[in-house]
């Protein structure tokens, strides 16, 4: 179990975890492709599709989105209930915080600056002439690389894996929750709930702080 009396690390998924939207679905809405992209996203989050292949297919449908259009999705940033408060709470415990996402750095950079995350990692969209090319930089951040990132951060900050927490909602978070000392499924798909140490089923991230406080 996590020890709040010692330094620790909590790593969050971004889409539908720290924020309420799936960024790629909302990007698709900007070019009239949301139904197609949302269907692929839902299947990938259920674990029915290879995540990397599904991401390439979805990003291909985003060709032509202009950068200024992205700003509309994060004005303001659609934070999940309790997200900012939970990050403040973890920092007060002396813990490191990070986000790792199968989404995109354009969003994680802004999120990290807003809620003062210590680190962030995601996929990089590719641009030409201020528009999306429909491609994403390789290698793609998938479930396995999310787990590796958690392990790398723990090593970087000399945190034992036993004192790490991973929080996510989809099938591509399974490896990360398994690698962490304590895994949290937040309003999650069945594939993730099956491997989690704690399931939070109502949309309020501060429930994690409430749970951990009872263990202290």
């Amino acid at each position: 179990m996590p020890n709040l009396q010692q330094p620790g690390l909590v790593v969050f998924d971004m889409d539908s975890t720290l924020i309420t939207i799936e960024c790629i679905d909302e990007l698709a809405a900007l070019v009239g492709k949301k139904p197609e992209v949302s269907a692929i996203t839902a299947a990938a989050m259920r674990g029915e599709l290879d995540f990397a292949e599904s991401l390439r297919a979805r990003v291909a449908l985003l060709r032509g989105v202009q950068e200024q259009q992205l700003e509309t999705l994060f004005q303001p940033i659609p934070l999940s209930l309790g997200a900012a408060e939970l990050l403040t709470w973890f920092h007060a415990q002396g813990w490191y915080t990070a986000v790792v996402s199968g989404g995109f750095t354009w969003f994680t950079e802004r999120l990290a600056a807003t809620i003062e995350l210590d680190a962030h990692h995601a996929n990089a969209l590719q641009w030409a002439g201020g528009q999306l090319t429909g491609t994403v930089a390789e290698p793609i951040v998938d479930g396995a690389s999310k787990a590796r990132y958690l392990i790398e951060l723990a090593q970087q900050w000399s945190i034992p894996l036993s004192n790490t927490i991973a929080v996510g909602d989809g099938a591509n978070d399974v490896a990360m929750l398994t690698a962490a000392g304590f895994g949290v499924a937040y309003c999650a798909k069945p594939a993730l709930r099956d491997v989690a140490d704690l399931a939070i089923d109502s949309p309020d991230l501060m429930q994690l702080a409430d749970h951990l406080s009872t263990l202290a």
Side-chain angles (χ1 to χ4, degrees):
M1 302 299 289
N3 181 356
L4 296 176
Q5 311 308 314
Q6 299 293 329
L9 164 68
V10 58
V11 179
F12 296 89
D13 172 52
M14 180 174 68
D15 295 38
S16 297
T17 301
L18 279 181
I19 63 175
T20 58
I21 63 172
E22 291 285 336
C23 290
I24 195 165
D25 293 357
E26 301 308 315
L27 283 172
L30 300 176
V31 287
K33 299 288 181 64
K34 186 172 182 177
E36 300 97 303
V37 169
S38 293
I40 300 172
T41 299
M45 291 303 96
R46 291 191 300 267
E48 297 169 3
L49 299 174
D50 174 76
F51 181 81
E53 287 304 318
S54 78
L55 185 68
R56 293 186 190 99
R58 287 175 286 167
V59 171
L61 295 171
L62 303 180
R63 183 175 180 179
V65 171
Q66 299 182 359
E67 186 164 11
Q68 60 261 36
Q69 290 179 278
L70 274 66
E71 296 284 355
T72 65
L73 304 181
F74 260 41
Q75 295 293 339
I77 293 178
L79 291 173
S80 295
L81 179 64
E85 294 84 354
L86 183 61
L87 270 292
T88 298
W89 183 85
F90 270 115
H91 285 144
Q93 312 306 314
W95 276 48
Y96 292 99
T97 61
V99 63
V100 58
S101 174
F104 308 112
T105 55
W106 194 96
F107 298 102
T108 60
E109 287 170 356
R110 286 156 178 77
L111 179 62
T114 298
I115 56 177
E116 299 182 351
L117 292 158
D118 296 301
H120 70 91
H121 183 54
N123 291 296
L125 291 165
Q126 296 186 313
W127 303 84
Q131 296 184 336
L132 291 180
T133 64
T135 58
V136 61
E138 301 284 344
I140 284 175
V141 177
D142 60 7
S145 53
K146 291 175 83 166
R148 287 195 298 272
Y149 185 66
L150 180 146
I151 293 168
E152 289 167 2
L153 286 181
Q155 292 172 340
Q156 175 183 329
W157 290 322
S158 301
I159 304 295
L161 280 177
S162 60
N163 222 34
T164 63
I165 298 173
V167 186
D169 75 296
N172 69 324
D173 295 314
V174 167
M176 180 171 72
L177 263 67
T178 303
F182 190 78
V184 181
Y186 175 70
C187 298
K189 308 298 185 294
L192 194 64
R193 290 175 60 92
D194 289 346
V195 303
D197 299 295
L198 171 68
I200 296 174
D201 294 324
S202 57
D204 181 358
L205 280 167
M206 275 302 287
Q207 289 188 47
L208 176 54
D210 294 341
H211 179 82
L212 294 174
S213 295
T214 67
L215 305 177

